[in-house]
Amino acid sequence: MGDRKFAVFYVTTPIYYVNARPHIGSAYTTIAADVLARYHRLKGDDVFFLTGTDEHGQKIEQEARSKGLSPKELADSVVEQFVRCWKTLGITYDHLVRTTHAYHEEAVRHLFSILQDKGDIYRATYRGPYCIPCESYLRPSELKDGNCPLCGRPVTLLEQENYFFRLSKYQKRLLDHFENNPDFVLPRSRYNEVLNRIKEGLDDISISRTAFKWGVAVPNDPEQVIWVWFDALTNYLSGIGYPKDSKKFERYWSYAVHILGKDILWFHACIWPAMLFAAGLTPPKQMFVHGWWTVEGEKMSKSRGNVVYPEEIVEKFGCDQLRYFLLRETPFGQDGDFSEKALVRRINNDLADELGNLLNRVVGMAQRYYGGKLPERPAEVAFDELVEKATALPQRVDAHLERFAFNRALSDIWDFIRLMNRLIDHTKPWELRKKGDMGRVAALLHSLVDGLRVVSWLLEPFMPDAAVEMRRQLGEEKAEADWQTRIAWGRSKGGQRLQRGRILFRKHPE
Ligand code: MSP
């Protein structure tokens, strides 16, 4: 199956702030990472999938206070909600890093000290605008009508003696890295966006605070708390054992693929690689920047009261259905719009009418004509287009996933599903049977069982439950372990038992 680019695959999500429970935005990033992790595991790669929670900073401290809780109490209760939600969504992370974990805090102090020893961190006075919700310093020239250019909310003026990171020193290294690694940031438009901004010049950035206490204290200076983004970004290292477990860390780090939303591009594509350069570490291998979901055309927000919670959607429509919708509806790099109407349309058309119906037809055919038991596989299976497409499909899906083009992978799989439905329509097995041409009926049935098995494996990372159920109905549940065998053409066997099962995808009123 094409070039095996990763034998080791390390994928991360951003770590989520604990001032809000998970919504479809956070679910989106996490589901995408999960699909990749599951896919690479199927291929036999050594996979590490890291997610986590971002628990320090003024925003969390304020939110906790407004609820009458300590920041840690707030974090504990929200983390529980995240863990539950990830379970509901079938997320198979290997580790969930919390920035309040002792090993993480230690990693942050360690990294800070290394940069300090190197002379890349120094003390100076900062005066200027600061956005608390985004936890970021801004240049006065960046403000939009006096407000934060990222979130549009009012900024606070800060004057304080802080520790600074010599970001400016790394401009050249960053430019070289971008030039030598054209796929460092995907999609290309985001790569260009960051590159252009780096070219404009970099200011050193303040990386500590004194206005509040909830965070990791600067080593040997307990008055100062390390900036929450410095703290948060370090999770990608601490989550795989840095600095203590160097074996684990070295095994995964150079393969790191970060998935993130467009709002946090700058932190990941400029500040983070510069911090790593300063620490003598390599930047992550790659990052993919996805778009944002609106809800029925509007920005999703607590104050608008239109936040979509994944558990509620799963309860009403199912987990595989939500996973499918989010990755099928919009190209991963672009913004998408969520509505139950659009979700139902996808469920009814793609899932129920096309995939579910195909499975029914195939199982029905086996039962009607052969009592559920596949006849011997004919020597020749003469449906050339089907064989060609089925043989090429895994490679196409692989190439799309390599480029994070989930919607294209799914749309290719659906072209093949439609082809199988058309083949039944054109071949008309009911007429062949009347004519007594059972050889051709057997050939058709074997081809369809093969095709559906290939589809089930390619869909497994996206819709794990449905994939297993498909194979159960096809009599394919005793899976061979090797990926190449699983997706190979021509493996259906005479005697294999097909059986009806639960309805794969229920339709909903439109
Ligand atoms: N804590 C930081 C990340 C630190 S990573 C070292 C953070 N957290 S967040 O909870 O605000 O956002 C986490 C992710 O969710 C981001 O990638 C963000 O883009 C994504 N989304 C938040 N709302 C979203 C939508 N409405 N749509 C899609 N993704 C969205 O930023």
Side-chain angles (χ1 to χ4, degrees):
M1 157 166 339
D3 279 349
R4 290 294 307 278
K5 244 197 181 166
F6 305 107
V8 178
F9 184 69
Y10 172 35
V11 64
T12 70
T13 72
I15 53 173
Y16 301 100
Y17 287 129
V18 290
N19 60 344
R21 38 186 282 231
H23 48 68
I24 50 160
S26 21
Y28 186 43
T29 324
T30 314
I31 290 170
D34 186 61
V35 168
L36 294 176
R38 283 176 182 265
Y39 178 63
H40 282 274
R41 279 190 210 113
L42 280 173
K43 287 208 298 179
D45 291 349
D46 177 0
V47 171
F48 200 91
F49 171 14
L50 183 70
T51 188
T53 45
D54 194 350
E55 307 182 14
H56 290 134
Q58 193 163 13
K59 184 159 67 171
I60 308 301
E61 197 184 74
Q62 284 175 351
E63 176 74 18
R65 195 172 305 132
S66 77
K67 290 200 153 84
L69 298 170
S70 74
K72 185 62 169 44
E73 282 167 345
L74 171 71
D76 286 348
S77 77
V78 178
V79 169
E80 226 174 83
Q81 294 181 317
F82 270 95
V83 170
R84 257 206 316 271
C85 181
W86 296 157
K87 198 163 173 226
T88 307
L89 291 173
I91 306 300
T92 56
Y93 57 82
D94 292 293
H95 185 60
L96 186 149
V97 56
R98 298 184 55 174
T99 55
T100 50
H101 276 149
Y103 68 84
H104 170 80
E105 296 189 351
E106 210 176 305
V108 173
R109 280 190 294 269
H110 182 82
L111 190 67
F112 194 97
S113 302
I114 290 184
L115 269 55
Q116 218 172 6
D117 292 347
K118 201 169 166 195
D120 281 346
I121 289 179
Y122 62 90
R123 259 185 100 111
T125 299
Y126 174 84
R127 252 178 236 100
Y130 185 76
C131 176
I132 298 179
C134 296
E135 301 280 13
S136 65
Y137 283 99
L138 302 161
R139 291 182 189 188
S141 62
E142 276 179 309
L143 302 185
K144 269 200 200 135
D145 303 324
N147 291 327
C148 170
L150 302 171
C151 70
R153 280 175 277 206
V155 295
T156 312
L157 279 179
L158 272 191
E159 169 161 352
Q160 51 182 240
E161 170 119 344
N162 283 154
Y163 288 87
F164 280 73
F165 169 53
R166 283 189 208 284
L167 182 62
S168 60
K169 180 175 155 188
Y170 291 96
Q171 185 189 19
K172 173 87 174 57
R173 284 278 302 268
L174 286 164
L175 291 175
D176 289 347
H177 188 76
F178 271 74
E179 191 174 321
N180 297 329
N181 299 277
D183 286 338
F184 178 51
V185 177
L186 291 176
R188 194 63 189 210
S189 54
R190 300 292 176 195
Y191 169 100
N192 289 330
E193 186 183 323
V194 184
L195 181 59
N196 291 336
R197 196 166 149 198
I198 297 174
K199 280 183 185 157
E200 283 169 19
L202 298 174
D203 294 334
D204 292 349
I205 53 168
S206 161
I207 53 162
S208 70
R209 304 286 181 268
T210 52
F212 60 96
K213 285 269 167 275
W214 180 236
V216 180
V218 168
N220 305 315
D221 192 349
E223 291 304 301
Q224 300 262 353
V225 166
I226 296 175
W227 180 40
V228 65
W229 271 100
F230 188 100
D231 174 349
L233 288 162
T234 307
N235 93 86
Y236 299 132
L237 306 178
S238 70
I240 48 168
Y242 175 88
K244 283 206 168 132
D245 188 347
S246 56
K247 206 168 145 219
K248 185 170 175 190
F249 175 66
E250 272 154 29
R251 174 166 174 167
Y252 291 111
W253 175 245
S254 58
Y255 299 95
V257 173
H258 297 326
I259 299 185
L260 46 128
K262 61 184 182 178
D263 52 321
I264 53 177
L265 172 60
W266 182 247
F267 303 103
H268 282 81
C270 174
I271 297 173
W272 177 227
M275 282 166 60
L276 291 162
F277 283 139
L281 296 169
T282 52
K285 181 187 169 74
Q286 194 169 50
M287 56 192 81
F288 191 96
V289 186
H290 66 70
W292 267 47
W293 286 91
T294 49
V295 175
E296 297 183 6
E298 293 207 35
K299 199 177 158 191
M300 187 168 66
S301 75
K302 265 199 233 171
S303 53
R304 278 196 177 86
N306 65 348
V307 178
V308 179
Y309 296 105
E311 290 101 325
E312 289 165 18
I313 301 295
V314 169
E315 171 87 33
K316 206 162 156 190
F317 300 99
C319 169
D320 283 346
Q321 287 83 339
L322 176 62
R323 291 172 65 109
Y324 174 78
F325 175 81
L326 290 176
L327 295 178
R328 176 67 184 90
E329 186 72 357
T330 328
F332 196 44
Q334 288 171 29
D335 293 340
D337 186 51
F338 183 90
S339 67
E340 288 200 359
K341 210 170 149 199
L343 172 64
V344 166
R345 212 179 303 131
R346 285 279 175 203
I347 294 175
N348 289 355
N349 297 348
D350 306 9
L351 298 182
D353 283 347
E354 294 181 335
L355 176 57
N357 188 35
L358 175 62
L359 181 69
N360 271 343
R361 293 174 90 180
V362 173
V363 176
M365 215 192 289
Q367 291 194 323
R368 227 169 300 124
Y369 303 155
Y370 299 103
K373 209 164 115 186
L374 276 192
E376 282 315 304
R377 190 179 172 89
E380 202 183 331
V381 178
F383 298 99
D384 293 347
E385 196 188 353
L386 196 71
V387 181
E388 261 165 47
K389 289 264 159 55
T391 323
L393 188 61
Q395 234 163 328
R396 295 178 64 98
V397 168
D398 191 69
H400 290 317
L401 290 183
E402 189 97 336
R403 305 291 292 179
F404 306 84
F406 301 101
N407 68 319
R408 290 196 182 178
L410 289 169
S411 116
D412 277 1
I413 296 172
W414 252 262
D415 283 347
F416 182 64
I417 290 169
R418 279 186 215 112
L419 177 71
M420 287 195 274
N421 270 320
R422 275 204 309 275
L423 189 70
I424 303 177
D425 298 342
H426 295 161
T427 317
K428 302 190 176 59
W430 51 94
E431 287 185 5
L432 291 174
R433 191 183 183 217
K434 270 191 227 147
K435 283 191 232 148
D437 190 356
M438 289 313 280
R440 187 123 173 103
V441 175
L444 176 68
L445 192 53
H446 272 276
S447 304
L448 294 167
V449 170
D450 258 353
L452 272 171
R453 172 184 36 87
V454 173
V455 164
S456 83
W457 283 114
L458 295 176
L459 285 181
E460 169 109 1
F462 296 91
M463 299 194 284
D465 290 346
V468 169
E469 177 61 17
M470 280 173 73
R471 288 196 296 276
R472 213 182 62 73
Q473 297 192 21
L474 292 170
E476 294 270 357
E477 64 263 78
K478 269 197 238 91
E480 312 194 45
D482 170 59
W483 175 245
Q484 292 302 334
T485 316
R486 287 171 169 181
I487 54 167
W489 183 254
R491 300 194 56 84
S492 60
K493 291 184 191 70
Q496 190 172 327
R497 280 221 159 264
L498 281 76
Q499 54 186 323
R500 281 205 189 278
R502 68 165 165 88
I503 293 178
L504 208 50
F505 301 105
R506 213 168 281 285
K507 280 177 110 166
H508 292 265
E510 294 200 30

